[in-house]
Amino acid sequence: MSKMKYSGVEWIGNIPAVWKTNKIKNMANVYTGNSISDDDKGLYEDSEDSFPYIATKDINIINNNIDYENGMYTKKKDKKFKVAFAGDTLLCIEGGSAGKKIARINQNVSFVNKLCCFHTNIMNSNYLYYSIMSESFAEPFRQNIFGLIGGVGQSVLKQFNICVPNIKEQKLIADFLDEKIDIIDGIICDLNNQIEILCKYKKQLISEAVTKGLNKKVSIKDSGIEWIGSIPEHWDIKLIKNICSLKGRIGWEGLTKDEYISEGPILITGINFDNGSIDWNSCEHVSEWRYNQAKSIQIKNKDLLITKDGTVGKVAIVKDCPEKVTLNSGVLLLRPLNNEYIEKYLYYVLLSNEFWHWFEIENIGNTTIIHLYQNRFAKFKLALPPIDEQKEIVNYLDIKCSEIEEILNSKIKQKEQMEQYKKSVIYEYVTGKKRVEGAEELYG
């Protein structure tokens, strides 16, 4: 067992006595990239005279790979673009992916200003990459996030401490982790593929049921609607605005997070949706005045909700509703007009390919942030069977989807366990809690 000493850094803890800690600024050059103008996009082609231009979206958050062939390049001689060199580490330091998207590059690139490069000539670059991947780096990163968008400045990053074994052990650790993490990533990738297949199967099952029904012997007709296709002959096609009311909040008249209070009427936002229900414990609270601003969206049991901003298309049916609940502007409320449908049936329609195919058609050519616009949604057409048949379809889907969800949850749990294991392995080895075989012999 290695002799240990306290590192002096809370999130690093004890390290081998022969190791040191040092600030990143003393071990690496740390710098952000440059934004690229719309005029520059697509201007340069892949050639010996250009660098691939890497944006945050080009980094895969699951396996940390980079899409180098994204179609964007900068001229090597254009000095306004900073360069990250093969072996360097890129880290997203701003926005929703801040601290989460990390990649080790294998060729020289230029890169966006939301990415930060770590370049070293005095450390093993692969060891530095794993140090930045470690929870010993992630923890101070989380503690230092600031601003409305959320990020950590490069001047703050430079003050972070990392563990510094000798250069030979750095290579030993990096080589060991390359092999170990590659195996773990392979398992995570396989689980992701299984999860994706199950999700597609579930959506296809739902789609078949809400457009074709359960009785395969009935006569079929062409619906005349691109996103629906053929349907049972006795089914109707309905505009959603003719079977239900669509209610949403038009703006918040200056509401900010500063107005959230510890108790009072509950506010539902997009982040409170949880597998078809609302997680009441995650909701914020607002004042009585804010609650009473829009009585048409005061929520009750059996209400059907769909998100129209942020992550569009999350759906939930309200149950166990507290006394006073309202919505923010990113959620839309659907209520029946003439009892032509049951809520759970429409819930499944909104999860189906029938809805998503329509949504994709509506957003063709839209390169800006995607929204579910209320006025357009009102024109969504859906296949609608008689009420008795809706009930049969809902009962069938409840059973089938429950079976799929059980398997899905198991796979998701396995994936989360592997991701946690990956974090722990990296942390243990870059902080010296565990040593690679032969490491102690490197110190004489």
Side-chain angles (χ1 to χ4, degrees), residues 248-344:
R249 185 182 292 276
I250 304 174
W252 262 110
E253 298 180 2
L255 176 76
T256 66
K257 290 184 178 180
D258 293 338
E259 290 186 57
Y260 293 169
I261 54 181
S262 59
E263 55 184 36
I266 286 174
L267 173 68
I268 295 176
T269 70
I271 65 174
N272 308 129
F273 285 58
D274 181 24
N275 196 28
S277 299
I278 298 299
D279 178 8
W280 300 112
N281 292 327
S282 69
C283 294
E284 300 288 352
H285 299 267
V286 293
S287 66
E288 290 280 343
W289 175 67
R290 286 295 189 185
Y291 170 70
N292 287 315
Q293 271 189 315
K295 294 189 176 181
S296 63
I297 55 170
Q298 292 176 351
I299 302 304
K300 59 187 181 181
N301 279 323
K302 297 181 70 176
D303 280 343
L304 179 59
L305 308 175
I306 184 169
T307 54
K308 59 190 183 78
D309 295 311
T311 305
V312 174
K314 291 195 288 187
V315 188
I317 294 179
V318 175
K319 57 183 179 180
D320 302 321
C321 188
E323 183 180 354
K324 294 181 178 180
V325 181
T326 188
L327 303 176
N328 81 340
S329 56
V331 182
L332 195 61
L333 164 63
L334 292 76
R335 282 181 180 154
L337 288 175
N338 304 308
N339 297 319
E340 292 185 67
Y341 72 90
I342 55 178
E343 288 82 358
K344 195 63 178 287

Side-chain angles (χ1 to χ4, degrees), residues 132-311:
I132 295 168
M133 287 272 288
S134 170
E135 279 296 299
S136 58
F137 182 95
E139 181 57 32
F141 191 98
R142 287 190 290 265
Q143 292 190 16
N144 283 280
I145 288 177
F146 73 97
L148 185 62
I149 296 176
V152 178
Q154 58 179 309
S155 61
V156 176
L157 292 173
K158 290 177 181 180
Q159 301 301 317
F160 288 6
N161 286 279
I162 58 173
C163 299
V164 188
N166 73 23
I167 194 72
K168 290 181 179 179
E169 188 171 5
Q170 289 176 34
K171 185 178 187 307
L172 202 64
I173 293 168
D175 290 347
F176 170 82
L177 288 176
D178 277 347
E179 185 175 339
K180 187 77 172 178
I181 299 307
D182 187 56
I183 294 170
I184 296 172
D185 281 345
I187 296 170
I188 292 173
C189 182
D190 184 54
L191 287 167
N192 273 327
N193 289 336
Q194 293 179 49
I195 290 168
E196 184 178 351
I197 290 169
L198 284 165
C199 287
K200 285 182 178 179
Y201 173 62
K202 177 184 172 184
K203 182 173 281 190
Q204 187 59 39
L205 189 77
I206 292 170
S207 302
E208 284 288 322
V210 299
T211 57
K212 304 294 184 290
L214 304 180
N215 186 352
K216 305 305 179 186
K217 296 181 180 180
V218 297
S219 299
I220 298 296
K221 66 181 180 183
D222 182 4
S223 69
I225 310 297
E226 180 181 352
W227 55 87
I228 297 176
S230 58
I231 61 172
E233 197 169 40
H234 63 289
W235 286 25
D236 294 324
I237 298 295
K238 296 282 186 176
L239 276 171
I240 197 165
K241 70 176 182 179
N242 291 337
I243 64 171
C244 70
S245 65
L246 307 174
K247 300 291 183 181
R249 185 182 292 276
I250 304 174
W252 262 110
E253 298 180 2
L255 176 76
T256 66
K257 290 184 178 180
D258 293 338
E259 290 186 57
Y260 293 169
I261 54 181
S262 59
E263 55 184 36
I266 286 174
L267 173 68
I268 295 176
T269 70
I271 65 174
N272 308 129
F273 285 58
D274 181 24
N275 196 28
S277 299
I278 298 299
D279 178 8
W280 300 112
N281 292 327
S282 69
C283 294
E284 300 288 352
H285 299 267
V286 293
S287 66
E288 290 280 343
W289 175 67
R290 286 295 189 185
Y291 170 70
N292 287 315
Q293 271 189 315
K295 294 189 176 181
S296 63
I297 55 170
Q298 292 176 351
I299 302 304
K300 59 187 181 181
N301 279 323
K302 297 181 70 176
D303 280 343
L304 179 59
L305 308 175
I306 184 169
T307 54
K308 59 190 183 78
D309 295 311
T311 305

Side-chain angles (χ1 to χ4, degrees), residues 369-389:
I369 297 173
I370 303 298
H371 299 278
L372 176 61
Y373 292 101
Q374 187 170 329
N375 60 339
R376 294 184 185 178
F377 187 39
K379 300 174 183 178
F380 168 59
K381 293 180 179 179
L382 65 146
L384 196 67
I387 289 287
D388 287 347
E389 204 167 339

